[in-house]
């Protein structure tokens, strides 16, 4: 009996979960969603990246007769999903512009012959009249719309081609629709339901909390050196570094390469073959780090990304949340680090100012302001994120930089007066770096040319470091005592609120500057660390060897969480290995013997 025939004979969702996907139990909400979809009712599912969205339509697809059509925005995302399903013995296919006519015809024949259970397509193809006629012939049982926030003008990644998907319902009456996304606030959720014409949908909103991710913000002072120290501390773990421009992507990647890091650049300006090479090398663990614009990531279904670093501040919280969510998809602890400089915010605002006025610009302005407030927050970062998405919580997480190292307050009135006076006496025409140089008494030609070495404030703060004064000035900006004039090269200028401070009429508390490098932490914090680290390293090596031989990414064989569980439980019999999360019947058949043999050798010491 073929795997497809076996799947068709499985009695229920629980059996498919265990025997096909290798998991012992559903996560919160998944079972209810699957029951609802298989019952013919529409659904809107909001789950964080790594929360198990795909199973919410993949399992119904295996339970329902005929075809399930999945709308997906990226070719890479389609390919990853289909490759993994085929490895599990599930007949799946995709149609996109990267295929030859012969490849596309083979997939179409598979749908016509009822052989393919899941078909991934782009929205553009979905709405072609010729394809709609084919769908009507195939009579699909389910339509799944992935990355559904793209359909909403209130979403952070609005795509006009998604808007017409709702029109498909008149051609496929009675076919239930499940819409899925990782990020959607209340307004976006309502818009998705309206545009997709969902009828009395079950709306499931999982917790947005990813407790295995540690959120950290670091103020830039020597930005590249700070980034290098962080990445070096990751000791070979896979990660993504995001930058806001193509030039910066290439510059950062080149500088990291010079320091011996396994790294490559990725952005939309590179040719297709280069982008495909980078993505394939990263997926297969042949490349440790990718430095990228936001063009990279949505299609990366890689479970063992251990860190995501934002070298520039993102444009909105939704993007930040989704991008950081690409770390730790396997549930093992991961790092999300944001390197922050208010000048980066100023650059984003300048870019936004160049856009034509209208509702879309207003939406983007609102979201950018919310991102800036997140970066400047002195409260638990996870609470800021969760409350933004409407998940009201008040208890600090204990796993972000604010919780782990609460800001210490001190009487900052004198230092504020020194900084404000320096700005005023220098004519309010200079940027932050120049003012710091004057305060610290730097001996440079520019200061001498302007005669600012003769000012009473010259060198008044030489007992404090450059980083200290940068932090003080930024806090004064956050407090509204100073503005940065974007039209005049971000020159620092005093506001009316600075007058009572300069006169000493009001007290002023500042946070002790947070000048630090990021300390790496132990992997697998979520699993308590009670596993054999040496065995885990051997299992990873075996996984890489098998993946290279099969020409598939290592995490497709088994993810890190599965290997950690193996290193903890040490299964040497097939029945025991099947109890490990991530080991299903098909993977046991293909890979089980090799992993059990390695575990036996390790336990007996014959391999040492």
């Amino acid at each position: 009996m073929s795997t497809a025939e076996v799947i068709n004979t499985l009695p229920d969702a629980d059996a498919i979960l265990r025997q096909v996907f290798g998991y012992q139990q559903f996560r919160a909400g998944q079972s209810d969603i699957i029951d609802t979809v298989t019952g013919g009712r529409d659904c809107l599912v909001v789950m964080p990246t790594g929360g198990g969205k795909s199973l919410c339509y993949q399992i119904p697809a295996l339970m329902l007769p005929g075809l399930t059509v999945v709308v997906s925005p990226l070719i890479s995302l389609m390919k990853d999903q289909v490759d993994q399903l085929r490895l599990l013995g599930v007949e799946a296919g995709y149609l996109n512009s990267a295929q030859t006519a012969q490849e596309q015809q083979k997939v179409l024949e598979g749908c016509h012959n009822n052989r393919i259970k899941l078909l991934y397509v782009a929205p553009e193809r979905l709405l072609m009249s010729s394809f709609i006629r084919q769908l009507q012939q195939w009579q699909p049982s389910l339509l799944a719309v992935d990355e559904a926030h793209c359909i909403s003008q209130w979403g952070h990644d609005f795509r006009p081609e998604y808007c017409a998907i709702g029109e498909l319902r008149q051609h496929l009456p009675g076919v239930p629709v499940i819409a899925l996304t990782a990020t959607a606030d209340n307004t976006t959720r309502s818009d998705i339901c309206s545009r997709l014409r969902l009828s009395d949908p079950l709306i499931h909103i999982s917790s947005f909390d990813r407790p295995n991710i540690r959120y950290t913000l670091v103020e830039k002072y020597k930005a590249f050196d700070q980034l290098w120290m962080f990445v070096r501390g990751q000791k070979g773990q896979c990660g993504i570094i995001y930058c806001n421009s193509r030039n910066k992507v290439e510059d950062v990647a080149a500088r990291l390469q010079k320091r011996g890091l396994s790294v490559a650049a990725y952005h939309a300006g590179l040719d297709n073959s280069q982008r495909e090479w980078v993505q394939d090398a990263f997926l297969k663990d042949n490349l440790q780090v990718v430095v990228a614009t936001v063009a990279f990531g949505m299609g990366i279904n890689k479970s063992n990304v251990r860190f995501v670093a934002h070298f520039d501040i993102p444009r909105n919280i939704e993007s930040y949340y989704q991008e950081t969510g690409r770390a730790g998809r396997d549930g093992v602890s991961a790092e999300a680090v944001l390197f922050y400089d208010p000048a980066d915010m100023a650059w984003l605002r300048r870019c936004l100012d160049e856009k034509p006025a209208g509702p879309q610009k207003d939406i983007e302005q609102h979201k950018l302001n919310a991102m800036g407030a997140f970066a400047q927050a002195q409260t638990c970062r996870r609470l800021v994120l969760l409350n933004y998405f409407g998940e009201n919580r008040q208890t600090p997480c204990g796993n972000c930089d604010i919780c782990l190292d609460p800001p210490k307050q001190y009487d900052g009135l004198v230092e504020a007066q020194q900084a404000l006076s320096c700005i005023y006496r220098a004519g309010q025409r200079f940027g932050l770096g120049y003012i710091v140089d004057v305060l610290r008494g730097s001996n440079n030609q520019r200061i001498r040319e302007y005669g600012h070495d003769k000012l009473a404030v010259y060198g008044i703060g030489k007992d404090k470091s450059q980083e200290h004064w940068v932090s003080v000035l930024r806090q004064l900006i956050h407090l509204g005592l100073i503005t940065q004039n974007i039209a005049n090269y971000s020159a620092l200028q005093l506001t009316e609120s600075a007058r009572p401070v300069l006169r000493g009429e009001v007290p002023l508390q500042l946070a002790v500057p947070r000048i630090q490098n990021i300390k790496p932490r132990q992997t697998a914090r979520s699993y308590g660390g009670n596993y054999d680290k040496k065995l885990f390293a051997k299992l990873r090596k075996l996984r890489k060897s098998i993946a290279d031989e099969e020409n598939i990414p290592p995490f497709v064989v088994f993810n890190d969480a599965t290997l950690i569980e193996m290193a903890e439980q040490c299964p040497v019999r097939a029945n025991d290995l099947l109890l490990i999360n991530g080991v299903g019947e098909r993977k046991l058949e293909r890979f089980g013997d090799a992993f059990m043999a390695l575990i036996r050798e390790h336990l007996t010491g014959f391999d040492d």
Side-chain angles (χ1 to χ4, degrees), residues 219-222 226 340-343 410 415 419 431-437 439-440 461 464-478 482 484 492 510-511 513-515:
E219 291 190 13
K220 290 181 180 177
Y221 57 95
K222 295 179 180 177
Q226 289 171 291
Y340 177 63
D341 184 340
Y410 73 102
E415 289 182 4
L432 189 148
Y434 183 88
I435 296 300
V436 170
D437 284 347
L439 284 166
R440 298 190 68 239
K464 300 290 192 303
S465 69
Q466 177 189 13
E467 296 79 27
H468 178 92
W469 281 113
V470 167
S471 180
V472 168
L473 285 165
R474 285 177 177 166
Q475 290 186 66
L476 297 180
I477 292 170
H478 299 165
I482 303 171
Q484 289 179 292
L492 301 184
L510 295 178
R514 303 177 67 86
I515 301 166

Side-chain angles (χ1 to χ4, degrees), residues 307-379:
F307 69 89
V308 169
H310 283 87
F311 199 53
D312 299 313
I313 190 168
R315 289 171 169 80
N316 50 67
I317 286 181
E318 288 91 342
S319 294
Y320 172 76
Y321 177 81
Q322 196 166 53
E323 288 154 14
T324 56
R326 287 162 192 152
R329 292 171 63 109
D330 51 13
V332 179
S333 56
E335 302 278 356
V337 178
L338 170 58
F339 294 90
Y340 177 63
D341 184 340
D344 296 337
M345 278 292 293
W347 183 81
L348 289 178
R349 293 190 193 282
R350 192 160 56 247
C351 292
L352 188 57
D353 287 342
E354 294 173 358
K355 293 188 176 184
Q360 197 61 40
K361 181 176 180 179
D362 293 342
I363 293 167
E364 291 181 32
Q365 182 70 61
H366 167 78
K367 292 183 178 293
L368 181 58
N369 289 341
M371 188 68 225
F374 169 82
Q376 296 165 11
Q378 293 287 334
T379 55

Side-chain angles (χ1 to χ4, degrees), residues 545-597:
S545 174
I546 291 173
D548 289 346
E549 187 175 333
E550 299 268 348
N551 194 30
I552 56 177
F555 69 88
V556 172
V557 179
F558 292 121
N559 64 33
D560 280 3
T562 298
L563 296 190
I564 287 171
E565 198 171 335
M566 286 186 195
E568 184 178 35
Q569 302 296 330
C570 296
V572 294
R573 295 180 300 180
N575 288 341
D576 294 332
L577 190 57
L578 277 174
L579 295 176
I580 301 294
N581 281 294
V583 183
E585 299 279 0
R586 182 63 177 252
K587 287 193 176 181
L588 173 67
E589 178 185 329
R590 291 190 64 178
F591 310 128
D593 288 343
F595 281 87
M596 287 186 291

Side-chain angles (χ1 to χ4, degrees), residues 445-465:
Q445 184 176 350
R446 190 176 180 214
I447 290 176
R448 292 194 299 272
E449 287 176 351
Y450 284 112
H452 291 157
D453 56 331
K454 304 295 192 296
L455 295 176
V457 291
Y458 177 74
I460 198 171
K462 61 185 176 182
D463 59 324
K464 300 290 192 303
S465 69

